[in-house]
Coordinates of all heavy atoms in Angstrom, one line a residue:
M1 N 106.0 113.2 75.4 CA 106.8 114.1 76.3 C 108.2 113.8 76.1 O 108.6 112.7 75.8 CB 106.4 113.9 77.7 CG 104.9 114.3 78.0 SD 104.7 116.0 77.9 CE 105.4 116.6 79.5
R2 N 109.0 114.8 76.3 CA 110.5 114.7 76.1 C 111.2 114.3 77.4 O 110.8 114.8 78.5 CB 110.9 116.0 75.6 CG 112.3 116.2 75.4 CD 112.6 117.6 75.1 NE 112.1 118.1 73.8 CZ 112.0 119.4 73.5 NH1 112.3 120.3 74.3 NH2 111.5 119.7 72.3
C3 N 112.2 113.5 77.3 CA 113.0 113.1 78.5 C 113.8 114.3 79.0 O 114.4 115.0 78.2 CB 113.9 111.9 78.1 SG 115.0 111.5 79.4
N4 N 113.8 114.4 80.3 CA 114.5 115.5 80.9 C 116.0 115.1 81.3 O 116.7 116.0 81.9 CB 113.8 116.1 82.1 CG 112.6 116.9 81.7 OD1 112.8 117.9 81.0 ND2 111.4 116.5 82.0
H5 N 116.3 113.9 81.0 CA 117.6 113.4 81.4 C 118.0 113.8 82.9 O 119.0 114.4 83.1 CB 118.7 113.9 80.4 CG 118.4 113.4 79.0 ND1 118.7 112.1 78.7 CD2 117.8 114.0 78.0 CE1 118.3 111.9 77.4 NE2 117.7 113.0 77.0
C6 N 117.1 113.4 83.7 CA 117.2 113.7 85.2 C 118.5 113.3 85.7 O 119.0 112.2 85.4 CB 116.1 113.0 85.9 SG 114.4 113.1 85.3
K7 N 119.0 114.1 86.6 CA 120.1 113.7 87.5 C 119.5 112.8 88.5 O 118.4 113.0 89.0 CB 120.7 115.0 88.2 CG 122.1 115.0 88.4 CD 122.6 116.3 89.0 CE 124.0 116.0 89.6 NZ 124.3 117.1 90.5
D8 N 120.2 111.7 88.9 CA 119.6 110.7 89.7 C 118.2 110.3 89.2 O 117.2 110.3 89.9 CB 119.4 111.2 91.2 CG 120.7 111.7 91.8 OD1 121.7 111.0 91.5 OD2 120.7 112.7 92.5
A9 N 118.2 109.9 87.9 CA 117.0 109.6 87.2 C 116.2 108.4 87.9 O 116.8 107.3 88.1 CB 117.3 109.2 85.8
P10 N 114.9 108.6 88.2 CA 114.2 107.5 88.8 C 114.0 106.3 87.9 O 113.9 105.2 88.4 CB 112.8 108.2 89.2 CG 112.8 109.5 88.5 CD 114.2 109.9 88.1
C11 N 114.0 106.5 86.6 CA 113.8 105.4 85.7 C 115.1 104.5 85.7 O 115.0 103.3 85.6 CB 113.6 105.9 84.3 SG 114.9 106.9 83.6
V12 N 116.2 105.1 85.8 CA 117.5 104.4 85.9 C 117.5 103.6 87.2 O 117.9 102.4 87.2 CB 118.7 105.3 85.8 CG1 120.0 104.6 86.1 CG2 118.7 106.0 84.4
D13 N 117.1 104.2 88.3 CA 117.1 103.6 89.6 C 116.2 102.3 89.6 O 116.6 101.3 90.2 CB 116.7 104.5 90.7 CG 117.7 105.6 91.0 OD1 118.9 105.3 90.7 OD2 117.4 106.6 91.7
I14 N 115.1 102.4 89.0 CA 114.1 101.4 89.1 C 114.3 100.2 88.1 O 113.8 99.1 88.3 CB 112.7 102.0 89.0 CG1 111.7 101.1 89.7 CG2 112.2 102.2 87.6 CD1 110.3 101.7 90.0
C15 N 115.0 100.5 87.0 CA 115.1 99.5 85.9 C 115.8 98.3 86.5 O 117.0 98.4 86.9 CB 115.8 100.1 84.7 SG 116.0 98.9 83.4
P16 N 115.2 97.1 86.4 CA 115.9 95.9 87.0 C 116.9 95.3 86.1 O 117.7 94.4 86.6 CB 114.7 94.9 87.2 CG 113.7 95.3 86.1 CD 113.9 96.8 86.0
T17 N 117.0 95.7 84.9 CA 118.0 95.1 84.0 C 119.0 96.0 83.5 O 119.8 95.7 82.6 CB 117.2 94.5 82.7 OG1 116.6 95.5 82.0 CG2 116.2 93.4 83.1
E18 N 119.0 97.2 84.0 CA 120.0 98.3 83.6 C 119.8 98.6 82.1 O 120.8 99.0 81.5 CB 121.4 97.9 84.0 CG 121.6 97.8 85.5 CD 123.0 97.4 85.8 OE1 123.9 97.4 85.0 OE2 123.2 97.1 87.0
A19 N 118.6 98.4 81.6 CA 118.4 98.8 80.2 C 118.4 100.4 80.1 O 118.8 100.9 79.1 CB 117.0 98.3 79.8
L20 N 118.0 101.0 81.2 CA 118.1 102.5 81.3 C 119.4 102.8 82.1 O 119.6 102.2 83.2 CB 116.9 103.1 81.9 CG 115.7 103.2 81.0 CD1 114.4 103.1 81.8 CD2 115.7 104.5 80.2
F21 N 120.2 103.7 81.6 CA 121.4 104.0 82.3 C 121.9 105.4 81.9 O 121.4 106.0 80.9 CB 122.6 103.0 81.9 CG 122.8 103.0 80.4 CD1 123.8 103.7 79.8 CD2 122.0 102.2 79.6 CE1 124.0 103.7 78.4 CE2 122.2 102.1 78.2 CZ 123.2 102.9 77.6
T22 N 122.7 106.0 82.8 CA 123.1 107.4 82.6 C 124.5 107.3 82.0 O 125.4 106.7 82.6 CB 123.2 108.1 83.9 OG1 121.8 108.1 84.5 CG2 123.5 109.6 83.7
R23 N 124.7 107.9 80.9 CA 126.0 108.0 80.2 C 126.9 109.0 80.9 O 126.4 109.8 81.7 CB 125.8 108.4 78.7 CG 125.0 107.4 78.0 CD 125.0 107.7 76.5 NE 125.3 109.0 76.0 CZ 125.1 109.5 74.8 NH1 124.4 108.8 74.0 NH2 125.5 110.7 74.5
E24 N 128.2 108.9 80.6 CA 129.1 109.8 81.3 C 128.8 111.3 80.9 O 129.1 112.2 81.7 CB 130.6 109.5 80.8 CG 131.1 108.3 81.6 CD 132.6 108.0 81.3 OE1 133.2 108.9 80.7 OE2 133.0 107.0 81.6
D25 N 128.2 111.5 79.8 CA 127.9 112.9 79.4 C 126.5 113.4 80.0 O 126.1 114.4 79.7 CB 127.9 113.1 77.9 CG 126.9 112.2 77.2 OD1 126.1 111.5 77.8 OD2 126.9 112.2 75.9
G26 N 125.9 112.5 80.8 CA 124.7 112.9 81.5 C 123.4 112.5 80.7 O 122.3 112.7 81.3
I27 N 123.5 112.1 79.5 CA 122.4 111.6 78.7 C 121.9 110.3 79.4 O 122.6 109.4 79.6 CB 122.7 111.4 77.3 CG1 123.2 112.7 76.6 CG2 121.6 110.7 76.5 CD1 122.1 113.6 76.3
V28 N 120.5 110.3 79.6 CA 119.9 109.0 80.1 C 119.6 108.2 78.8 O 118.8 108.6 78.0 CB 118.7 109.3 80.9 CG1 118.0 107.9 81.3 CG2 119.1 110.0 82.2
D29 N 120.3 107.1 78.6 CA 120.2 106.3 77.4 C 119.5 105.0 77.7 O 119.2 104.6 78.9 CB 121.6 106.0 76.8 CG 121.5 105.9 75.3 OD1 120.4 105.8 74.8 OD2 122.6 105.9 74.7
F30 N 119.1 104.3 76.7 CA 118.3 103.1 76.8 C 118.8 102.0 75.8 O 119.1 102.3 74.7 CB 116.8 103.5 76.4 CG 115.9 102.4 76.4 CD1 115.5 101.7 77.6 CD2 115.4 101.9 75.2 CE1 114.7 100.7 77.6 CE2 114.5 100.8 75.2 CZ 114.2 100.2 76.4
D31 N 118.9 100.8 76.3 CA 119.3 99.7 75.5 C 118.2 98.7 75.4 O 117.8 98.0 76.3 CB 120.5 99.0 76.2 CG 121.0 97.8 75.4 OD1 120.4 97.4 74.4 OD2 122.1 97.3 75.7
K32 N 117.5 98.7 74.3 CA 116.3 97.9 74.1 C 116.6 96.4 74.2 O 115.7 95.7 74.5 CB 115.5 98.3 72.9 CG 116.1 97.8 71.6 CD 115.1 98.1 70.5 CE 115.6 97.9 69.1 NZ 116.6 97.0 68.8
D33 N 117.8 96.0 73.9 CA 118.1 94.6 74.0 C 118.1 94.1 75.4 O 117.9 92.9 75.6 CB 119.5 94.3 73.3 CG 119.4 94.6 71.8 OD1 118.3 94.5 71.3 OD2 120.5 94.9 71.3
R34 N 118.3 95.0 76.4 CA 118.2 94.6 77.8 C 116.8 94.7 78.4 O 116.6 94.1 79.5 CB 119.2 95.4 78.6 CG 120.6 95.2 78.4 CD 121.4 95.9 79.5 NE 122.7 96.2 79.0 CZ 123.5 97.2 79.4 NH1 123.0 98.0 80.4 NH2 124.7 97.5 79.0
C35 N 115.9 95.4 77.7 CA 114.6 95.7 78.3 C 113.8 94.4 78.3 O 113.7 93.7 77.2 CB 114.0 96.8 77.5 SG 112.3 97.2 78.1
I36 N 113.1 94.1 79.4 CA 112.2 93.0 79.5 C 110.7 93.5 79.4 O 109.8 92.7 79.6 CB 112.4 92.2 80.7 CG1 112.3 93.0 82.0 CG2 113.8 91.5 80.6 CD1 112.4 92.2 83.3
G37 N 110.5 94.7 79.2 CA 109.1 95.2 79.1 C 108.3 95.3 80.4 O 107.1 95.2 80.3
C38 N 109.0 95.4 81.5 CA 108.3 95.3 82.8 C 107.5 96.6 83.1 O 106.7 96.6 84.0 CB 109.3 95.0 83.9 SG 110.3 96.4 84.4
K39 N 107.8 97.7 82.4 CA 107.1 99.0 82.6 C 107.4 99.7 83.9 O 106.7 100.7 84.2 CB 105.6 98.8 82.4 CG 105.2 98.2 81.1 CD 103.7 98.1 80.9 CE 103.3 97.4 79.7 NZ 101.9 97.0 79.6
S40 N 108.3 99.2 84.7 CA 108.7 99.9 85.9 C 109.1 101.4 85.6 O 108.7 102.3 86.4 CB 109.8 99.2 86.6 OG 109.5 97.9 86.9
C41 N 109.8 101.6 84.6 CA 110.3 102.9 84.3 C 109.1 103.9 84.0 O 109.2 105.0 84.3 CB 111.2 102.9 83.1 SG 110.6 102.1 81.6
M42 N 108.1 103.3 83.3 CA 106.9 104.1 83.0 C 106.2 104.6 84.3 O 105.7 105.8 84.4 CB 105.9 103.4 82.2 CG 106.5 103.0 80.8 SD 105.4 101.9 79.9 CE 104.0 103.0 79.6
Q43 N 106.2 103.8 85.3 CA 105.7 104.2 86.6 C 106.6 105.2 87.3 O 106.1 106.1 88.0 CB 105.6 103.0 87.6 CG 104.8 101.8 87.0 CD 103.3 102.1 87.0 OE1 102.8 102.8 87.8 NE2 102.6 101.5 86.0
A44 N 107.9 105.0 87.1 CA 108.9 105.9 87.8 C 109.0 107.3 87.2 O 109.2 108.2 88.0 CB 110.2 105.2 87.9
C45 N 108.9 107.4 85.9 CA 109.1 108.7 85.3 C 108.1 109.7 85.6 O 106.9 109.5 85.3 CB 109.2 108.5 83.8 SG 109.5 110.1 82.9
P46 N 108.4 110.8 86.2 CA 107.4 111.8 86.5 C 106.9 112.6 85.3 O 106.0 113.4 85.4 CB 108.1 112.7 87.5 CG 109.6 112.5 87.3 CD 109.8 111.2 86.7
Y47 N 107.6 112.4 84.2 CA 107.3 113.3 83.0 C 106.6 112.5 81.8 O 106.4 113.0 80.7 CB 108.5 113.9 82.4 CG 109.2 114.7 83.4 CD1 110.4 114.3 84.1 CD2 108.8 116.0 83.8 CE1 111.0 115.0 85.1 CE2 109.4 116.8 84.7 CZ 110.5 116.3 85.4 OH 111.2 117.0 86.3
D48 N 106.2 111.2 82.1 CA 105.6 110.4 81.1 C 106.5 110.4 79.8 O 106.0 110.4 78.7 CB 104.2 110.9 80.7 CG 103.2 110.5 81.7 OD1 103.4 109.5 82.4 OD2 102.1 111.1 81.8
A49 N 107.8 110.3 80.0 CA 108.7 110.3 78.8 C 108.9 108.9 78.2 O 109.5 108.8 77.2 CB 110.0 110.9 79.2
L50 N 108.4 107.9 78.9 CA 108.7 106.5 78.4 C 107.4 105.9 78.0 O 106.3 106.2 78.5 CB 109.2 105.7 79.6 CG 110.7 106.0 79.9 CD1 110.9 105.9 81.4 CD2 111.7 105.2 79.1
Y51 N 107.5 105.1 77.0 CA 106.3 104.4 76.4 C 106.7 103.0 75.9 O 107.9 102.8 75.8 CB 105.7 105.3 75.3 CG 106.6 105.5 74.2 CD1 106.7 104.7 73.0 CD2 107.5 106.6 74.2 CE1 107.6 104.9 72.0 CE2 108.4 106.9 73.2 CZ 108.4 106.0 72.1 OH 109.3 106.3 71.1
I52 N 105.7 102.2 75.7 CA 106.0 100.9 75.2 C 105.9 100.9 73.7 O 104.9 101.4 73.1 CB 105.1 99.8 75.8 CG1 105.3 99.6 77.3 CG2 105.2 98.5 75.0 CD1 106.6 98.9 77.6
D53 N 106.9 100.5 73.0 CA 106.9 100.4 71.5 C 106.1 99.2 71.2 O 106.5 98.0 71.5 CB 108.4 100.2 71.1 CG 108.5 100.2 69.5 OD1 107.5 99.8 68.9 OD2 109.5 100.6 69.0
P54 N 105.0 99.4 70.5 CA 104.1 98.2 70.2 C 104.8 97.2 69.3 O 104.4 96.0 69.3 CB 102.9 98.9 69.5 CG 103.3 100.3 69.1 CD 104.5 100.6 70.0
E55 N 105.8 97.6 68.5 CA 106.4 96.6 67.6 C 107.4 95.7 68.4 O 107.5 94.5 68.0 CB 107.2 97.3 66.5 CG 106.2 97.9 65.5 CD 106.9 98.5 64.3 OE1 108.1 98.3 64.2 OE2 106.2 99.1 63.5
T56 N 108.0 96.2 69.4 CA 109.0 95.4 70.1 C 108.6 95.0 71.5 O 109.2 94.1 72.1 CB 110.3 96.2 70.2 OG1 110.1 97.4 71.0 CG2 110.9 96.6 68.9
S57 N 107.5 95.6 72.0 CA 107.0 95.4 73.4 C 108.1 95.7 74.4 O 108.1 95.2 75.5 CB 106.5 93.9 73.6 OG 105.4 93.7 72.8
T58 N 109.0 96.6 74.0 CA 110.0 97.1 75.0 C 109.7 98.6 75.2 O 109.0 99.2 74.4 CB 111.4 96.9 74.5 OG1 111.6 97.6 73.3 CG2 111.8 95.4 74.3
A59 N 110.3 99.1 76.3 CA 110.2 100.5 76.5 C 110.9 101.3 75.4 O 111.8 100.8 74.8 CB 110.7 100.8 77.9
A60 N 110.6 102.5 75.3 CA 111.2 103.4 74.4 C 111.2 104.8 74.9 O 110.3 105.2 75.7 CB 110.6 103.3 73.0
K61 N 112.1 105.6 74.5 CA 112.0 107.0 74.9 C 112.9 107.9 74.0 O 113.7 107.4 73.3 CB 112.5 107.2 76.4 CG 114.0 107.2 76.6 CD 114.4 107.6 78.0 CE 115.8 107.9 78.1 NZ 116.3 109.0 77.3
C62 N 112.6 109.2 74.1 CA 113.3 110.1 73.2 C 114.7 110.3 73.8 O 114.9 110.6 75.0 CB 112.6 111.4 73.2 SG 113.5 112.7 72.4
N63 N 115.7 110.3 73.0 CA 117.1 110.5 73.5 C 117.4 112.0 73.6 O 118.3 112.4 74.3 CB 118.1 109.8 72.6 CG 118.4 108.5 73.1 OD1 118.1 108.1 74.3 ND2 119.1 107.7 72.3
Y64 N 116.7 112.8 72.7 CA 116.9 114.2 72.7 C 118.4 114.6 72.6 O 118.9 115.4 73.4 CB 116.3 114.9 74.0 CG 116.2 116.4 73.9 CD1 115.7 117.0 72.7 CD2 116.6 117.2 74.9 CE1 115.6 118.3 72.6 CE2 116.5 118.6 74.8 CZ 116.0 119.1 73.7 OH 115.9 120.5 73.6
I65 N 119.0 114.0 71.7 CA 120.4 114.3 71.4 C 120.5 115.3 70.3 O 120.0 115.1 69.2 CB 121.2 113.0 71.0 CG1 121.2 112.1 72.2 CG2 122.6 113.4 70.7 CD1 121.7 110.7 71.9
V66 N 121.0 116.5 70.7 CA 121.1 117.6 69.7 C 122.5 117.7 69.3 O 123.4 117.9 70.1 CB 120.5 118.9 70.3 CG1 120.7 120.0 69.2 CG2 119.1 118.8 70.7
R67 N 122.8 117.6 68.0 CA 124.1 117.7 67.5 C 124.3 119.1 67.0 O 123.5 119.6 66.2 CB 124.4 116.7 66.4 CG 124.5 115.3 67.0 CD 124.8 114.3 65.9 NE 124.3 113.0 66.2 CZ 124.8 112.2 67.0 NH1 125.9 112.5 67.6 NH2 124.3 111.0 67.3
I68 N 125.3 119.8 67.4 CA 125.6 121.2 66.9 C 126.8 121.2 66.0 O 127.8 120.6 66.3 CB 125.8 122.1 68.1 CG1 124.6 122.1 69.0 CG2 126.2 123.5 67.6 CD1 124.8 122.8 70.4
G69 N 126.6 121.8 64.8 CA 127.7 121.9 63.9 C 127.8 120.8 62.9 O 127.1 119.9 62.8
Ligands
SF4_1 S1 112.8 108.9 81.2 FE1 111.7 110.2 82.7 S2 112.7 109.7 84.7 FE2 114.0 108.9 83.1 S3 115.5 110.5 82.8 FE3 113.9 110.9 81.3 S4 112.5 112.3 82.3 FE4 113.8 111.5 83.9

């Protein structure tokens, strides 16, 4: 499932390490170096957009950044 980059994103609110954060342009971004793999965001996301990367054991999600031009 694709991330909807929610306004007031529940994954950002629940993340204890600020690994998930909202950028100034509204994209909900993710810093895997801060992630401790607690899976809180997976519980919080209503769209199942987050998953655990089996290689890193950290959360991961689609950034859905579309570049035009
Ligand atoms: S990961 Fe889920 S809760 Fe977080 S911004 Fe994307 S859709 Fe919303």
